[in-house]
Amino acid sequence: QVQLQESGGGLVQPGGSLSLSCVTSGFTLDYYAIGWFRQAPGKEREGVLCIGPSGSITYYADSVKGRFTGSRDNAKKSVYLQMNDLKPEDTGVYYCANDFYDYSTCQKGLADYDTWGQGTQVTVSS
């Protein structure tokens, strides 16, 4: 059974930091990229960044460059999203999803990812 489970969300003040985790099971993480996505209230889901099989980062959203980064630990079957200097506009439900590696790894849209987690809520407010 392929599963991804996000955790680490919560309420933080603007300028604060959060680290999200995505624990995976049911597949060999080494062969997959992991994308992070978010959905703000009343808005469509958007890509945040993608972590390639070798740990390279592709940014989907210009607004998070310089503030967010991703990493992976294949031995622990986990990936992470480190979020710094959080802004109210970062508020939303954050999701991780997997994508089997090929030449277009981390170059795909939402519909091209295979399995999604249920999401974790991030709220940035003073």
Side-chain angles (χ1 to χ4, degrees):
Q1 185 176 7
V2 175
Q3 290 185 315
L4 299 90
Q5 183 174 352
E6 306 91 340
S7 63
L11 174 64
V12 297
Q13 294 183 332
S17 298
L18 276 178
S19 182
L20 305 184
S21 298
C22 175
V23 178
T24 72
S25 62
F27 64 99
T28 302
L29 183 58
D30 308 61
Y31 303 141
Y32 287 79
I34 299 295
W36 283 98
F37 301 83
R38 66 187 182 185
Q39 188 165 18
K43 297 184 179 180
E44 295 184 352
R45 192 171 301 183
E46 67 171 347
V48 178
L49 57 80
C50 177
I51 308 168
S54 298
S56 60
I57 305 299
T58 299
Y59 287 94
Y60 290 145
D62 289 341
S63 61
V64 308
K65 292 180 179 178
R67 300 189 297 122
F68 292 11
T69 193
S71 61
R72 65 193 294 144
D73 187 335
N74 291 340
K76 295 181 179 179
K77 299 184 68 68
S78 298
V79 298
Y80 308 95
L81 179 65
Q82 178 64 47
M83 305 184 293
N84 300 319
D85 191 24
L86 284 161
K87 305 178 184 299
E89 306 89 83
D90 297 317
T91 293
V93 179
Y94 282 69
Y95 302 87
C96 60
N98 67 357
D99 176 26
F100 188 72
Y101 80 92
D102 57 22
Y103 72 95
S104 62
T105 296
C106 289
Q107 305 300 312
K108 299 179 179 180
L110 279 69
D112 296 301
Y113 284 82
D114 300 320
T115 304
W116 294 73
Q118 295 189 41
T120 185
Q121 176 71 43
V122 172
T123 303
V124 184
S125 177
S126 59

